Structure formats: structure tokens, C-alpha cells
Amino acid sequence: MTTAEVDATPGDCESLQQEEYEVLESIYPECISSEMKNKSLRLEIPVEFGTPRTVHVEEDQSDIQTNSAAAPPIALSLSSLPPVTLNVVLPALYPIKNPPTLTSIRAAHFWLPQIPRLHQALTDLWEPGEGVLYNWIEFLRSGEFLDTLSLLDDNNDIRIIHPSPPILTKVLKESDASSSFLRFTHNSYPCSICLSTVRGSKCVQLSCTHIFCRPCLEDFWKLCIEEGDVGRVGCPDLACVKDGREADAEEVARVVTQDCMERWRSLKIKRNLERDPSVIHCPMAFCQTPVLKPTGVEEGTGWEYLRSCPGCSFSFCALCRRTWHGPITPCRIAHSEKLVLEYLSTKEGSREREAMEKRYGRRNVLRLVGEYEEEQANKSWKEASTMACPGCSVHVEKSAGCNHMTCAKCGQHFCYRCGAKIKALNPYVHFSTAGERCYNKLFDFERDEEMFE
């Protein structure tokens, strides 16, 4: 026994106790659940691991008298365990002469067995003249006590014995989720969109583990939804963008408003339907319901063109989009085009043209001619000014920029000059390979006199 221990007074010990309490309060404020009153203190210490660890919950067989086989252990991956609560009384001569008194130890949800062994292990950590509360917190918080209580197996996995593993499993999962959420909200994270550091309570962590501040992600997703580009409603991180990762319904609902959520859901359904080439929208202007191709119909019979709208019950032909005319009668489109071509082949004012106008009606014939000429003009413009996507045949018009195109409908990468498919991972090899027809043609430069006219 040292001279300091012999000469220790309650006043000196009280000063040391107060100093130790203030240090703990500054380092582990979340572990101190009560103020120090009448030398009593309550510590609520969460058990947290740096990385997820495997926890096996096994059924307690000690009270089972039958020879029935035990249920297999339930394996979990957890980042934390429920907290351990210590009720502590500090004697008058702590920490110089006497150790702190543990009046009770309680594990939340009674997950921890062998409480007496833990009590002894904590008591053994104290040394005369030294504060031990910090060591207690670290001993429990880091999970070091699990090895002391023989709760680790040869693989360093945690094994917990419990009378009802399914009940404890549910409790451990809920506790781990709650603990992870609290840690997330209390920490700060950098947002790669606005390049600022934001508290976790104002951030969103996606299932890919990337974190963004809520205002940035909401503005980005809202803009994509308003523009109808639901394929970009996903993680904005470069790696996830390359992988084409899209947000699921749960993530979208957490970020955007209910109106945006409904629009996102309808646009996604529409996009998925449009990717199916057999889906046709109802030609009725007030309906526009997507109509699927009927199943169980033999190809080549003509019945494969029949579509019945589930929205308005309108039956129509998949080719001409007009009222169903039966499997044998040809589409009116073929008759109309034949009629227009025959009409245009006659001279203006001739008897043949006048006879056709009397037979079909001059107004009807001129309307068909106008529709035909408009359709041919559109075809000519498409061929001259656009390029069809090789993946879904949607025509794309380029006003400026390079010739590397990405289809907004199907995501196919292709060359705007020649229409060839190009690799998404290395799209520019198409323009940098000598001998290719688009070599050094990533950009189309106009002549100087044309550019400055």
C-alpha cells in the first residue's frame, strides 16, 4: 500500500471521481444515461463492431429433458448488439482504495448469458489508485468481453445461447437496425453532388451504400421524373451510372413527393411496356391503354393482329390501328395507299381522275392524298435528318455534339454516322481504330465558310 493510498481522504477521492465523470461525459456522452447523484451512476453501453460480424443464436438445451434434436443455429450478420446497462455506486475512497460497486448488470432483451462472470471480469479490471470506468466502457463497447465469457468460437464468430432463438433473432435485427440508423444520423458525410459535408439526418443512403444529401438527390430525381427520363432515377455515383443501377420504389418514396412518386411509377410501367415490341397503345385518343399481344394464337392465321383494349374494350388491328376487320380482309392502309397511287398516276382533269373523285368523293380522295404526302415527307425527313437506334429502332436527331449516341429508350450505344452498335464500356474505340469507316469522325466539322455565314 502506497503512502498516497494511506493518506487518501474522501475529499481527494471525490475530486478524482468528478474529474473521471467529466472525462467520460466528454468522450462517451451517449453511454452516460444519468447524472451522478449520491455517488450513483448509470452507464448504458452499446456493443459496436467496426465491421459486421457473424452471430449464431443457438437454442438452450440445458432445461430440455427429451431426446428431441435441437434446432439448427440461426446465423446473423450484425454490426452491433443491444446495450449493456451498468448501475454503479462509487465508494467514498474510490478510486484510491476501493473499487466501484456494481449494483446490477442488465443486458437489453436479456440476450447476454453469464452475467455473474461478466460482473467478476469487470471487477478484476480495477487496480488500486486507478479509475476504471473508462476501461469498463471500452471493454464492453468493443466486444472484448465476449472472448472473456467464452462466447467466441474457433472462427471468431459470436455464439449466443437462448431459450427462444427466433424471438431473440428478431430482437437483435431490430436493435442492429436502430443502432445503425442512430449512428448514421449523428455522423457527417460528404455529398458528391454539392461537394459539401452534411449531417446524416439530412442525407440519404442508397442500397448501394452511396450517400447524398437529401435536397441534392431530391432535385436531381425530380428533374429526371419531370423530363420523363426514369432511367436516370438512380444512384448518381459514376460507378453506379456505368452499371445502369436504378432506384427501387422504396428509395424513390423516401426522397420525392407523392405526386412525383406516382409519375415515376407510371413512367416506369410505360417504359417497360414500350420495350416490349409486341405492346401497342389503344388508338382511341381518350384511352391510350397499353394492349398486350394475345397468347396462344397461331402465327400466320391473321388472328395474331387482333388486339382488344382492356381499358375501353375497343377491338382493333395491330397493323392499321383501325377497327378490327377480320383475319382475311386486308388492312385499309393497303387499300388507301393503292388508291392514292392510282389517283396520282392520272393526269389532273382527266376522266379517270374525275371518275375516281365521283366514286370515292373528292374530299375523301384529297384527304387521303394529303395524308399520304405528309407521311412520305416525314419518311424523307427521317431518312435525311435522323438515325434509327439499332437496338429499338427509335429515330434520334442530333443537333450538336459528338457522334457517340446513347438511346434514351433502350440505353443502346451507337454511332450516329453509320448507325452501328458500339461497346458501352469503350465506345470511342469505334472512332479511334484505323481502317474503320468512322475513324477520326467523332465530330463532324463544317467548313469555315459555312460556319460563319
Side-chain angles (χ1 to χ4, degrees), residues 127-175:
E127 295 181 0
E130 299 291 338
V132 76
L133 299 183
Y134 175 86
N135 294 335
W136 281 2
I137 293 177
E138 277 298 304
F139 184 63
L140 295 173
R141 186 171 176 269
S142 63
E144 183 181 348
F145 71 100
L146 296 171
D147 190 20
T148 304
L149 300 183
S150 302
L151 296 179
L152 300 181
D153 61 13
D154 296 337
N155 297 323
N156 206 33
D157 292 342
I158 302 169
R159 293 193 175 273
I160 300 175
I161 308 298
H162 195 268
S164 180
I167 295 178
L168 182 61
T169 297
K170 181 179 179 182
V171 168
L172 294 179
K173 286 182 178 179
E174 293 175 351
S175 174

Side-chain angles (χ1 to χ4, degrees), residues 205-274:
Q205 183 176 26
L206 303 178
S207 58
C208 57
T209 71
H210 292 127
I211 300 173
F212 305 92
C213 71
R214 188 176 295 272
C216 286
L217 194 61
E218 182 179 4
D219 290 343
F220 174 60
W221 283 3
K222 183 179 179 182
L223 179 63
C224 294
I225 294 173
E226 288 177 350
E227 294 180 347
D229 191 1
V230 294
R232 296 177 62 198
V233 180
C235 177
D237 186 83
L238 182 60
C240 290
V241 171
K242 288 184 177 180
D243 292 339
R245 183 195 174 279
E246 297 185 14
D248 56 30
E250 185 65 28
E251 292 173 333
V252 177
R254 288 169 52 200
V255 176
V256 302
T257 62
Q258 183 63 27
D259 292 340
C260 284
M261 176 67 184
E262 294 299 329
R263 176 171 169 78
W264 171 83
R265 183 180 287 110
S266 62
L267 287 173
K268 193 160 187 178
I269 293 174
K270 180 182 178 182
R271 185 199 62 178
N272 293 338
L273 290 173
E274 287 177 345

